[in-house]
Amino acid sequence: MSKEVTHPEGELMASKEQAKRQWKLDAISTGTGVFLAIFMWGHMFFVSSILTGERGFNWISDLFEHYWLAQPTLILVTIVFFVHFVTASRKIPGKLAERKRIKKLGDDISKSQWNISDEDREELEKVRPHKETSLWIWQVRSGMIILALGSIHLFVVMADVVQRTFKLGEGLGINAAETMARVQGGMWILYAVLLYAVEVHAGIGLYRVTVKWGLGARIPIIGSRITRKMAHQMERIVLWFFLIIGFVTLLVMAGVIEPPLEFLLTTDAD
Amino acid sequence: MPRELTLKIFRYDPSDPESKPCFVEYKMEETPRLNLFVALHRIRENQAPDLQFDFVCRAGVCGSCGMMINGRPTLACRTLTAELPETITLAPMPAFKLIGDLSVDTGTWFRGMSERVESWIHTKTEFDPEAEEERMDDGTAQKIYELERCIECGCCVAGCATANIREDFLGATGLNRIGRFMLDPRDERDSKDWFELVSTDEGVFGCMGLMACDDVCPKELPLLEVFAYMRRRMSQVAAGRAKDDAGTSLPVIN
Ligand code: HEM
Ligand code: SF4
Ligand code: SF4
Ligand code: FES
């Protein structure tokens, strides 16, 4: 520690403070991550209302905006999104060299110290994948993608909601026709990538949170202890569930397939 | 037909300015139940008398023979060549100081860790050489023993991304050591005392939960369970809910 506190009492205080801060930062990055993941499930659920056709989708978005549910949620999520980004990316090594080091944990031997030839370096790299280590690398990468694309998405949605709330322009708010037009106009690329990145990121994140904080803890009611295998299987199921719903939703929005659940909202009067 | 094995071994002598790090290939015929301990000795006998590597117990007990075997840090004495492809790459463990070839200095690292963890029983009780030793209940003794099984081989440190980039990180074995003393009813340090050691970026919150340590530990210690437990307990301290709990049990292994 490179702290310039010389008095032993002061040093003790400083390290206690530091310990508390580091605990806090870790807890915040985990907490915000879990919050966002849960939000994303709810979000996916409501967006997939398009599977019942435009009426279902519009009904939900009207409801949310009319009763002032959408607006505060949007603000809250935007804030949490950035807080998570700031606290979580603290763990990404600042130095490129360190990132490379993790990436190629395979090159056991650091160039600076032992001067190993590039050929031997490649040799080492082939043999040393560690799955969870690479999962973390994908979490960082998908996080970066979410940061870029998610910000765009948040901005677009915010613009829609603001228009309606303050009765600007056409003031339609979020509605199926406009959303579908946007998706068909090329935004599908953004949404497809964002969807995939979010599901992967949240999936890995939740798996890691479970292992980091919960392993060995007793599950209430069921009584068994949380194991890594359990966490892994949960993550698998959740990941595929939301990926499939997400992509079907996107296909409907892009007009590639008809809403498969439209019959639910079709009455004889139609 | 026995296989012909190719061992690609990292060679470098840091004390010799002429020496250049490189991989050298050695070929040998595979014999039944050949392990790397025997294989390396054969190479030293027949092909490379100056090859440096460490072994003592050759039974997975002393922890001297940790090395990167096809990229995975593990004990050479417990690795059969039959478990490996024909080409076997051997390199010294990273994160430790290289002594030469496959031999690294784990001792300095472990001593530093032990000193920071203050790896001894902290107690104000005066030692009485005349008195009968205090008894410990069997369950607690078993739990302590479970964590005490660490042989200081360093594999968890070598495989850990965090330990590789942060010199001051206590590593899985260090956190495990803390767990061992948290368990011990004779140790009078309580959660609050542990907090500043455990709850920092050098401690459990530096750990990114990549799990490599747990995957490579040749003694299969319940490392991840110990960490998860520590995170929960440290959160209680931070939230001001820690009781006076010196010597409470870790509910991890049963
Ligand atoms: C909707 C968006 C997001 C969701 C659902 C989400 C979810 C999560 C979760 C659950 C974790 C695990 C936390 C932990 O291991 O303690 C996590 C970690 C992480 N997230 Fe996100 N995240 C989102 C956006 C972002 C963004 C925009 C970034 C920006 C770069 C990011 C970067 C990271 C990083 C680097 C970690 C690893 C932190 C660590 O190892 O402690 N995430 N995320
Ligand atoms: S879980 Fe990962 S980061 Fe933590 S000590 Fe183990 S290998 Fe290192
Ligand atoms: S915890 Fe396991 S891998 Fe680490 S030093 Fe101890 S025995 Fe070796
Ligand atoms: S020689 Fe002792 S552990 Fe391998």
Side-chain angles (χ1 to χ4, degrees), chain A residues 101 114 128 130 132 208 213, chain B residues 21 71 164 208 210 215 232:
Chain A
R101 183 107 178 94
W114 297 349
R128 163 57 170 303
H130 178 257
E132 267 81 6
R208 293 189 41 248
W213 294 85
Chain B
N164 269 271
M208 297 193 285
L210 304 175
D215 289 336
R232 296 199 291 271

Side-chain angles (χ1 to χ4, degrees), chain B residues 102-245:
Chain B
L102 300 176
S103 170
V104 293
D105 174 11
T106 50
T108 307
W109 192 98
F110 275 93
R111 185 178 171 96
M113 181 276 280
S114 297
E115 281 171 358
R116 280 200 293 155
V117 172
E118 302 191 1
S119 186
W120 55 85
I121 301 279
H122 288 51
T123 178
K124 295 199 185 72
T125 321
E126 200 74 42
F127 177 64
D128 177 4
E130 301 296 314
E132 193 185 332
E133 213 176 318
E134 214 178 304
R135 284 169 198 276
M136 184 184 283
D137 86 88
D138 203 40
T140 310
Q142 292 285 356
K143 282 181 183 167
I144 293 178
Y145 181 67
E146 177 69 10
L147 307 190
E148 187 93 299
R149 290 189 303 116
C150 170
I151 55 172
E152 302 200 352
C153 62
C155 292
C156 58
V157 179
C160 171
T162 313
N164 269 271
I165 59 170
R166 296 187 60 130
E167 255 178 66
D168 54 2
F169 182 51
L170 286 170
T173 174
L175 297 172
N176 177 69
R177 184 72 59 86
I178 293 173
R180 181 247 172 273
F181 283 97
M182 279 182 168
L183 268 177
D184 199 314
R186 294 165 300 177
D187 197 305
E188 285 164 10
R189 287 176 280 186
D190 65 11
S191 284
K192 289 196 194 89
D193 298 322
W194 289 116
F195 187 68
E196 59 196 84
L197 187 61
V198 177
S199 173
T200 57
D201 284 352
E202 292 91 59
V204 75
F205 293 121
C207 162
M208 297 193 285
L210 304 175
M211 310 164 207
C213 54
D214 200 74
D215 289 336
V216 300
C217 175
K219 304 306 278 187
E220 294 177 8
L221 294 176
L223 299 169
L224 293 177
E225 277 89 344
V226 175
F227 303 165
Y229 172 76
M230 280 181 181
R231 283 194 180 86
R232 296 199 291 271
R233 186 146 149 198
M234 289 309 119
S235 300
Q236 286 176 354
V237 180
R241 281 191 285 113
K243 299 149 259 149
D244 177 26
D245 57 357

Side-chain angles (χ1 to χ4, degrees), chain A residues 101 106-111 114 116 121 124, chain B residues 10 23 91-92 94:
Chain A
R101 183 107 178 94
D107 328 1
D108 316 316
I109 298 129
S110 103
K111 209 169 208 161
W114 297 349
I116 188 170
R121 200 163 266 275
L124 276 176
Chain B
F10 179 83
F23 278 90

Side-chain angles (χ1 to χ4, degrees), chain B residues 1 18 45 47 54 81 87 94 100 139 144 191:
Chain B
M1 259 284 284
E18 300 284 288
E45 266 163 41
Q47 303 181 45
D54 297 317
T81 55
T87 306
I144 293 178
S191 284

